[in-house]
Amino acid sequence: MTNYKFILSGGGTGGHIYPAIAIANELKAQFPDAEFLFVGAQDKMEMQKVPQAGYEIKGLWIAGLQRKLTLQNLMFPLKLATSLLESRRIIKQFKPNVVIGTGGFASGPLLQAAGGAGIPTVIQEQNSFPGITNKLLSKKANAICVAYGNLERFFPKEKIVLTGNPVRQDLIDIESKRDEAIAFYGLDPNKKTLLVLGGSLGARRVNQLIEKELHNMLSQDVQVIWQCGKLYFEEYKKHNQQNVRVVDFIERMDFVYAAADVIISRAGASSVSELCIVGKPVIFIPSPNVAEDHQTKNAQAIVDAKGAILLKESELDSQFSIVFEALLKDQGKQKQLSDNIKKLAMPNATKVIVDQIKKLL
């Protein structure tokens, strides 16, 4: 049996890292003797998260362009050139059979170097609106695995495969974990649980909203698991109390999803894909500060299928408490949202992506 080698690259946020880890895990299950190497950006969260998942990672000296003139931007050409050289060196040494990119700064130079060396590449695009790195890489990629339809505007049509986004397999059956999850967080099994997700780094506007509305929520007999993010934990940990659990980062996503009755979330691509599988009523508050406003587009795709509620940041002060209270009281609406979002789930995405990778071996 051939001893295959795979390089995976993706990072900057959990939305790029976890799909890469999920793909590696599935490849490992199918090719137990395969060798794996991850390539990320130095000083980004993948440098911790990938080794925790049991894989080796090398870091490139790369960062994205800022929107204003900064020293970082002036350094960008040097960083890019250095990262391309380092990527070529890594590929020459490791000799991968296939290179897989899930987005983020580091995947740019790495997939560029792989394509230049004649090694097959696969792009996994999570969003309904691709980033600039994947648009550029798509010209040379062998396959482009996407989670949304209508991406022919950005990618060569003949390379696109609709697969969905890889999600953690422990989310497939969360109903059976509810009691364990409630006990894990020390919650009351008779109260409704609100789960607030701001993404791995946190969301300032969502945190401000929850702080403002917390008293009102608790008065409606609701308990809260509030993931405020690493950047904001020091500021918001003071709100930890009997019916409120403030956490910076969540290791057991299956537990928080199992405990939740209603979810408030940003609309990053991975979160949206997970929430389709979890099938709980969701209020999306998309981040307006992302390229091409892709979070709003991700959320809108679910809303169009009557599977979620969308509130823009600009509407929160006037609309949130009305919308939240109405949803909490309306069991029929909760069930409708639940049923409709589940119809959009693609639980086999990781296997379908790995099938595309295997065609290139």
Side-chain angles (χ1 to χ4, degrees), residues 34-201:
E35 289 179 52
F36 295 88
L37 178 65
F38 278 68
V39 175
Q42 281 171 11
D43 73 21
K44 291 291 184 186
M45 65 187 283
E46 57 264 32
M47 301 310 288
Q48 284 90 48
K49 298 296 167 197
V50 169
Q52 280 171 12
Y55 295 101
E56 185 189 346
I57 185 166
K58 289 188 186 306
L60 299 179
W61 185 47
I62 186 83
L65 284 164
Q66 312 296 311
R67 291 187 186 183
K68 50 190 183 292
L69 188 64
T70 61
L71 182 62
Q72 285 274 22
N73 280 358
L74 296 174
M75 298 284 282
F76 182 76
L78 176 62
K79 287 185 174 186
L80 185 60
T82 307
S83 295
L84 271 166
L85 281 171
E86 179 63 10
S87 295
R88 285 182 195 138
R89 197 181 66 75
I90 289 169
I91 280 164
K92 203 172 172 184
Q93 274 186 347
F94 192 74
K95 299 184 176 65
N97 296 90
V98 183
V99 173
I100 301 116
T102 60
F105 311 129
S107 64
L110 187 81
L111 268 76
Q112 186 72 28
I119 289 158
T121 59
V122 174
I123 292 172
Q124 196 268 318
E125 173 55 62
Q126 294 111 27
N127 288 297
S128 56
F129 205 101
I132 190 162
T133 305
N134 278 354
K135 283 188 215 168
L136 292 171
L137 293 171
S138 67
K139 295 174 181 64
K140 285 190 174 174
N142 297 72
I144 304 159
C145 298
V146 301
Y148 293 89
N150 306 317
L151 292 189
E152 297 81 9
R153 297 173 288 160
F154 310 109
F155 298 139
K157 189 178 177 180
E158 68 283 0
K159 296 180 182 181
I160 296 175
V161 189
L162 182 64
T163 59
N165 279 324
V167 295
R168 308 161 216 248
Q169 290 305 292
D170 58 3
L171 303 184
I172 305 294
D173 173 34
I174 55 163
E175 290 309 312
S176 63
K177 300 180 185 177
R178 183 175 167 84
D179 293 346
E180 196 184 348
I182 293 283
F184 182 82
Y185 279 102
L187 297 170
D188 181 342
N190 302 310
K191 283 185 193 283
K192 286 261 187 204
T193 303
L194 168 69
L195 170 62
V196 181
L197 298 171
S200 46
L201 299 174

Side-chain angles (χ1 to χ4, degrees), residues 66-356:
Q66 312 296 311
R67 291 187 186 183
K68 50 190 183 292
L69 188 64
T70 61
L71 182 62
Q72 285 274 22
N73 280 358
L74 296 174
M75 298 284 282
F76 182 76
L78 176 62
K79 287 185 174 186
L80 185 60
T82 307
S83 295
L84 271 166
L85 281 171
E86 179 63 10
S87 295
R88 285 182 195 138
R89 197 181 66 75
I90 289 169
I91 280 164
K92 203 172 172 184
Q93 274 186 347
F94 192 74
K95 299 184 176 65
N97 296 90
V98 183
V99 173
I100 301 116
T102 60
F105 311 129
S107 64
L110 187 81
L111 268 76
Q112 186 72 28
I119 289 158
T121 59
V122 174
I123 292 172
Q124 196 268 318
E125 173 55 62
Q126 294 111 27
N127 288 297
S128 56
F129 205 101
I132 190 162
T133 305
N134 278 354
K135 283 188 215 168
L136 292 171
L137 293 171
S138 67
K139 295 174 181 64
K140 285 190 174 174
N142 297 72
I144 304 159
C145 298
V146 301
Y148 293 89
N150 306 317
L151 292 189
E152 297 81 9
R153 297 173 288 160
F154 310 109
F155 298 139
K157 189 178 177 180
E158 68 283 0
K159 296 180 182 181
I160 296 175
V161 189
L162 182 64
T163 59
N165 279 324
V167 295
R168 308 161 216 248
Q169 290 305 292
D170 58 3
L171 303 184
I172 305 294
D173 173 34
I174 55 163
E175 290 309 312
S176 63
K177 300 180 185 177
R178 183 175 167 84
D179 293 346
E180 196 184 348
I182 293 283
F184 182 82
Y185 279 102
L187 297 170
D188 181 342
N190 302 310
K191 283 185 193 283
K192 286 261 187 204
T193 303
L194 168 69
L195 170 62
V196 181
L197 298 171
S200 46
L201 299 174
R204 177 184 293 281
R205 188 65 188 88
V206 174
N207 288 335
Q208 288 170 341
L209 171 78
I210 301 305
E211 184 172 53
K212 177 174 160 256
E213 297 286 343
L214 197 56
H215 179 73
N216 184 30
M217 287 169 172
L218 295 176
S219 71
Q220 295 171 72
D221 213 24
V222 169
Q223 54 196 351
V224 184
I225 301 174
W226 175 6
Q227 186 253 321
C228 64
K230 280 192 181 135
L231 300 178
Y232 303 101
F233 185 65
E234 288 305 313
E235 192 179 341
Y236 291 103
K237 66 181 181 186
K238 64 186 178 202
H239 294 294
N240 254 316
Q241 52 184 284
Q242 189 183 353
N243 292 315
V244 184
R245 303 286 175 270
V246 182
V247 295
D248 57 348
F249 188 82
I250 298 167
E251 294 293 347
R252 290 293 304 263
M253 288 305 296
D254 56 334
F255 275 5
V256 290
Y257 284 137
D261 294 290
V262 176
I263 299 171
I264 292 171
S265 178
R266 283 300 206 201
S270 290
S271 300
V272 173
S273 297
E274 288 186 357
L275 290 164
C276 288
I277 285 172
V278 167
K280 302 279 175 92
V282 182
I283 299 172
F284 283 119
I285 304 173
S287 168
N289 313 313
V290 291
E292 316 289 358
D293 198 20
H294 68 241
Q295 285 206 6
T296 301
K297 295 180 174 95
N298 293 345
Q300 192 62 51
I302 310 298
V303 173
D304 290 345
K306 298 185 170 54
I309 294 167
L310 191 165
L311 283 175
K312 294 187 173 171
E313 285 194 356
S314 56
E315 301 169 326
L316 292 178
D317 289 333
S318 61
Q319 295 293 310
F320 177 80
S321 56
I322 302 163
V323 170
F324 180 71
E325 281 180 41
L327 178 61
L328 208 59
K329 290 181 179 133
D330 191 341
Q331 296 287 339
K333 177 76 168 172
Q334 289 176 32
K335 185 172 182 338
Q336 180 204 12
L337 293 177
S338 240
D339 291 346
N340 288 338
I341 197 169
K342 273 183 188 163
K343 289 175 192 164
L344 304 172
M346 291 180 161
N348 298 319
T350 316
K351 284 187 168 64
V352 181
I353 292 164
V354 166
D355 286 344
Q356 291 302 312

